[in-house]
Each structure stands twice: as C-alpha cells, then as structure tokens.
Amino acid sequence: MSRCTAPSDVRQRGRADVASPGAAMRGAVVGAVVVALAGIGAPADAAPGPTPTEPVVSGAVVNSGKDVIVGITHDVAFPVTVTGADDSGLSFVDVDLKGPHGGFYTTDAFCETATACTTAFTVNAHPAPGSDDPVDLANANAGTWKVDALVDTHDGDSVFAPGVASFGLKRAARLTVNAAPEPVAKGATITVTGKLVRANWDTYRYAGYTGQAVKLQFRPKDSDTYTTVATVNTNSTGNLHAKVKAAKDGYWRWNFAGTTTTGPAKAAGDYVDVR
C-alpha cells in the first residue's frame, strides 16, 4: 500500500485538543451554586455534544457481484464499490486488488456519497499494439482475488480494511456444437460433437481445455428449457463426442459450468429435424 492508516492514538490526540464540553459545564455549575446562595436563580445544564465515531468499512462489491472474465483481444472494465460509514462522511478511497502469483492492480477515487466510493479498473491479457509484450495478465494470475480498501473521511480520519471482499478473475471459455445427421429418422442415432477451448493469457490464443466435464443438453422445438442428457469429459485436445437416439425435433448444445480459473460457456443450440 502506498498509504497507511493513521494510528488510533494519533487520532485521539488530535481530538483531545478540542476543549471538553463537560469541563466547561463543570465551571458553569460552580458559578451557578454561588449565584444560588445569593438568592439568584441558576441556568439549566446543557446536554453534552455527540461523541465522534471511528470510520468503518462495511464491505465491497466487485463487478456487480459477477466474476471478471477476460479473453485475449479486449480490455475488460469493471467497478469496485466500497461502502462504509463515518459521522463526517467518506471522502476518498484507495483500492488494491491482489491475486495469485503476484497479480496486482490499484486505483483510487473520490467517494460519490457519504457512504459509498466507486473505483474503475481495466484489465487485459493481450499484446500491446505493435508489440509482442504482454500488457497485464498471465495464466498463473487466474483464480480468486482479494480486495484491500483504504478510506479517508471528511474530518481527516482513515480506515484500512484488508480482504474486505473477494472475486473470481477468470480466463474466458468457448464451446462449439454439431449434431448430425440432419434431418434424421426417428429412433436413429445422432452424433453430437463439439470443442471446449479457453483463453491462454500467455500465448494470446484459445486452446483446448483438457479433462473437463461438460453437459450435453436438449431442448424440444416447442420448449424454452434445456434438459441434461449426459455428461462427457473433454479429451486431450478439448474435443467432445456423444451418441444419442433421435426422439423429437429440437436443439442440442454443450454446457460448461466453469472452474475456479475459467469462466462458463454454452454453445448455441444446433437444431435437428427428426422425421
């Protein structure tokens, strides 16, 4: 972190320089007693002022609660909103994102309200224009990332909240599907093939994703709902292969749920006419 939270004893000393309302009241009470003895009425005691509170960070939301999924061609921008409270209101936030194998991003911003501060991040895993050098991410950085937040308040206090949130920064995946023959006789065999690939942030290409469980799903022509028919593992090159019986007209697709390092993917349904 480029900045750190001021120690609590420093903040306390700063506040101690302000004259205590209670001390002033004690002086007023003594004076009032003397006046009362002389037969003159005394003024009523005033209530002490509110005690300042320490700032708190209550949480953070990354990318509206969704994983950040990055391919190999485009920048991906997403917000991080830190929320908290202070009697003077939040004024400024410094946010660090920390990931596996040294992954790191940082940015800061003024708070848009007294209780919320939103920063914007942009990440990518493609070469810089006219260069073969990577701009940001490597494959080893994919996985679970943590959020650290340092928030300043309008009255000069600050609070540091390490690990206030976490999120998945994942490699993008793609799926294809082909169901054949088309058309097909009812009761005959349909062969459904496809391929699962994912972004390689080291080579800036998509490559087959090996040994992954992928669901084969079917949706009848007159329905909006897909049903899982089988689960098939990808081979050494990411290819998929399954054989099913033709029962009715409808759409076939592959559906991959994703992993801790790779985002989900669904193939567009391939329609088969059963006669």
Side-chain angles (χ1 to χ4, degrees), residues 64-260:
S64 301
K66 299 177 291 185
D67 289 338
V68 177
I69 299 176
V70 183
I72 56 172
T73 57
H74 297 93
D75 293 351
V76 176
F78 59 94
V80 177
T81 299
V82 177
T83 54
D86 181 69
D87 52 1
S88 70
L90 308 183
S91 65
F92 195 80
V93 67
D94 186 334
V95 177
D96 293 341
L97 308 182
K98 298 178 179 179
H101 294 271
F104 181 81
Y105 291 93
T106 185
T107 192
D108 50 41
F110 286 100
C111 301
E112 63 270 25
T113 71
T115 59
C117 316
T118 299
T119 57
F121 286 86
T122 299
V123 302
N124 54 59
H126 57 77
S131 170
D132 291 332
D133 295 329
V135 176
D136 272 327
L137 294 168
N139 287 341
N141 300 137
T144 300
W145 285 56
K146 302 293 185 181
V147 179
D148 293 351
L150 174 65
V151 178
D152 297 333
T153 67
H154 285 291
D155 62 3
D157 275 349
S158 61
V159 58
F160 177 56
V164 68
S166 63
F167 68 100
L169 182 59
K170 300 183 178 183
R171 298 158 62 178
R174 295 176 177 174
L175 263 175
T176 60
V177 65
N178 182 58
E182 303 173 54
V184 64
K186 186 173 183 178
T189 298
I190 298 174
T191 300
V192 186
T193 57
K195 187 169 186 175
L196 173 65
V197 297
R198 64 171 172 168
N200 187 319
W201 292 344
D202 295 334
T203 63
Y204 323 120
R205 294 179 174 85
Y206 278 86
Y209 198 4
T210 302
Q212 299 303 307
V214 183
K215 295 177 180 178
L216 176 62
Q217 297 181 325
F218 176 73
R219 174 172 69 87
K221 181 176 64 173
D222 56 356
S223 172
D224 295 326
T225 303
Y226 276 94
T227 300
T228 298
V229 175
T231 299
V232 179
N233 288 338
T234 57
N235 67 9
S236 59
T237 57
N239 289 315
L240 293 156
H241 183 275
K243 291 184 178 293
V244 293
K245 292 294 183 180
K248 61 177 70 175
D249 296 347
Y251 299 85
W252 294 91
R253 75 175 185 187
W254 296 103
N255 185 353
F256 174 60
T259 66
T260 57

